[in-house]
Amino acid sequence: MVFDFQLLLFIIIAAAFSNIVKAQPTSTPYEVKTCVVNFVGESCLTDLLPVANPIRYQTQPVTNPNACEDTVGQRGSLSFVDITLPTNQVLYVEVTTNVEGQENVGIDNFHVRPSRLTEPWGTPTVEFNLASFYIADTGQFSVEFASSDIWKDLQRAQNFDALMLFVNPPMDPIPSDAVLIEEDITQFDNVGGGQLARTLGQAGKYYFSAAQQHSDLTQLMAHY
């Protein structure tokens, strides 16, 4: 649905261009716990545990002079975290909101978007400031303790405290016989015009070091 896509695009752009990215603040807007199950509807076989990766947090407004115009006027905050979904399994997720005004919204005003993906995974459970739900595929998911009407109110939308879950597949370990390709000028041939190239060959295994090391997400996203 167009609405879902636009919402995700807005949140991702806000994350990319804000110049305030940091670890969890003293007063954490959201707490996220997960467990792995075999199918939607199954109870946790192990204890619910806090997500392994830190929940990153950034506030608005965007002050980067090169920021996209879509972020102008935005306030509120964005919390986001990376979660790994094991192959052929399902995540059971429990989210607690500590944002004032987001408690006791009820099931009708809680959403995990894009809804076209999440609705087949069952109806979330919502009790006061805690919601639980299933995620059965990888992707980017917006968790919203808010009525859909909020997006029709410019002031409320611009002051919204958002939560994004980035659910990733497992990363395969690097093969022991893979060749590291580093940013080393001696490894490349000058092909003219100030350009360098290196022929890797067929059926080889390679992995690449980062051309730049980034201290935070803002710097990283600014290059894409």
Side-chain angles (χ1 to χ4, degrees):
M1 297 186 336
V2 174
F3 172 78
D4 288 333
F5 174 78
Q6 289 176 335
L7 175 61
L8 286 174
L9 182 61
F10 149 68
I11 294 176
I12 292 168
I13 289 174
F17 290 99
S18 174
N19 68 341
I20 306 176
V21 179
K22 52 191 177 183
Q24 295 187 39
T26 302
S27 178
T28 308
Y30 298 96
E31 301 167 27
V32 182
K33 297 181 179 180
T34 64
C35 73
V36 176
V37 298
N38 295 309
F39 53 86
V40 171
E42 184 179 37
S43 299
C44 289
L45 302 178
T46 59
D47 292 336
L48 276 165
L49 297 175
V51 286
N53 294 315
I55 300 176
R56 296 176 68 83
Y57 171 80
Q58 65 185 27
T59 58
Q60 302 287 1
V62 174
T63 57
N64 182 348
N66 298 316
C68 173
E69 62 180 10
D70 289 349
T71 66
V72 173
Q74 296 300 329
R75 291 172 288 277
S77 69
L78 173 64
S79 301
F80 50 101
V81 64
D82 288 294
I83 305 173
T84 298
L85 173 62
T87 304
N88 298 323
Q89 292 190 294
V90 174
L91 285 175
Y92 179 76
V93 183
E94 182 182 276
V95 176
T96 301
T97 176
N98 298 316
V99 178
E100 184 178 357
Q102 290 191 3
E103 69 281 354
N104 206 27
V105 297
I107 186 61
D108 293 335
N109 294 319
F110 175 79
H111 308 276
V112 182
R113 305 186 189 277
S115 55
R116 68 181 184 278
L117 297 181
T118 62
E119 284 181 355
W121 302 336
T123 303
T125 299
V126 182
E127 296 181 4
F128 191 60
N129 67 335
L130 186 148
S132 55
F133 50 91
Y134 292 92
I135 292 181
D137 203 353
T138 55
Q140 303 167 1
F141 301 93
S142 173
V143 180
E144 303 169 12
F145 291 81
S147 165
S148 296
D149 291 339
I150 193 174
W151 310 118
K152 301 175 184 178
D153 184 321
L154 180 61
Q155 183 175 1
R156 293 172 64 199
Q158 288 184 329
N159 286 276
F160 187 66
D161 293 284
L163 171 64
M164 285 291 294
L165 306 181
F166 295 93
V167 181
N168 308 304
M171 290 186 63
D172 294 330
I174 298 173
S176 59
D177 57 344
V179 177
L180 171 63
I181 305 300
E182 299 180 276
E183 190 182 21
D184 182 353
I185 195 171
T186 62
Q187 295 186 12
F188 295 81
D189 299 320
N190 191 332
V191 294
Q195 296 183 341
L196 302 175
R198 177 178 177 180
T199 302
L200 298 181
Q202 298 180 354
K205 299 176 183 178
Y206 308 93
Y207 66 104
F208 299 82
S209 64
Q212 298 186 38
Q213 299 296 322
H214 303 282
S215 60
D216 58 44
L217 180 67
T218 304
Q219 293 178 339
L220 176 63
M221 295 299 294
H223 292 277
Y224 291 88

